[in-house]
Amino acid sequence: TRRLEDTKESSGLKYTSLQEKHEKLRDLLSEEQAAKMMQEQKLGKVQEQMKSLEEEIQNRELEKKKIESLLEEKMDFEKKLQENIQQQKDELEAKANDNNGLEHEVN
């Protein structure tokens, strides 16, 4: 009977020990799952930020292209303006030379 009681007691201790281990494992699993959920949330936020940054980059690239186009238009306009100015200068000089030539003929 003593042996039976020792076996019962030993079995009870083993059962209690197994229960405690089971509870610890369950707690660890819960913590692991919670940590995993937190990581997934952080990953989701990072992915959203990356998407937002990619959109910002695309917007800035579009703005850059618009600015480059406007600069090109400005340069073309300035070039035409300079050509116009030079042409008018040349015409005025030619008229001035013609007038000088006429003055010499009159004198």
Side-chain angles (χ1 to χ4, degrees):
T1 11
R2 179 74 181 138
R3 201 166 181 203
L4 185 60
E5 286 177 18
D6 286 346
T7 304
K8 281 183 181 179
E9 189 176 315
S10 175
S11 293
L13 289 175
K14 285 181 183 176
Y15 179 77
T16 304
S17 175
L18 285 174
Q19 268 186 321
E20 289 171 358
K21 285 181 183 177
H22 178 72
E23 287 173 13
K24 284 180 185 177
L25 286 173
R26 190 175 56 222
D27 290 346
L28 284 174
L29 181 60
S30 294
E31 289 173 16
E32 184 74 24
Q33 287 173 336
K36 184 178 178 184
M37 284 177 59
M38 293 277 290
Q39 289 296 333
E40 287 173 353
Q41 287 175 347
K42 286 180 184 177
L43 179 62
K45 287 179 184 177
V46 168
Q47 287 173 333
E48 285 177 25
Q49 288 175 339
M50 283 179 58
K51 184 178 178 182
S52 175
L53 288 172
E54 287 171 355
E55 289 173 359
E56 182 69 23
I57 288 169
Q58 288 175 348
N59 289 339
R60 288 189 183 204
E61 286 175 353
L62 285 175
E63 286 178 28
K64 180 183 173 189
K65 286 179 183 177
K66 287 179 188 175
I67 290 170
E68 288 171 346
S69 176
L70 288 172
L71 280 173
E72 202 171 306
E73 285 180 33
K74 178 184 178 262
M75 289 170 58
D76 288 345
F77 177 78
E78 287 176 346
K79 183 180 176 185
K80 287 179 184 174
L81 187 62
Q82 286 299 324
E83 289 172 356
N84 243 352
I85 291 170
Q86 188 61 47
Q87 183 182 356
Q88 287 179 1
K89 263 183 166 179
D90 293 345
E91 289 173 3
L92 287 174
E93 284 178 16
K95 283 183 184 178
N97 287 338
D98 286 346
N99 287 340
N100 284 340
L102 288 176
E103 280 181 22
H104 284 289
E105 285 179 23
V106 171
N107 287 340

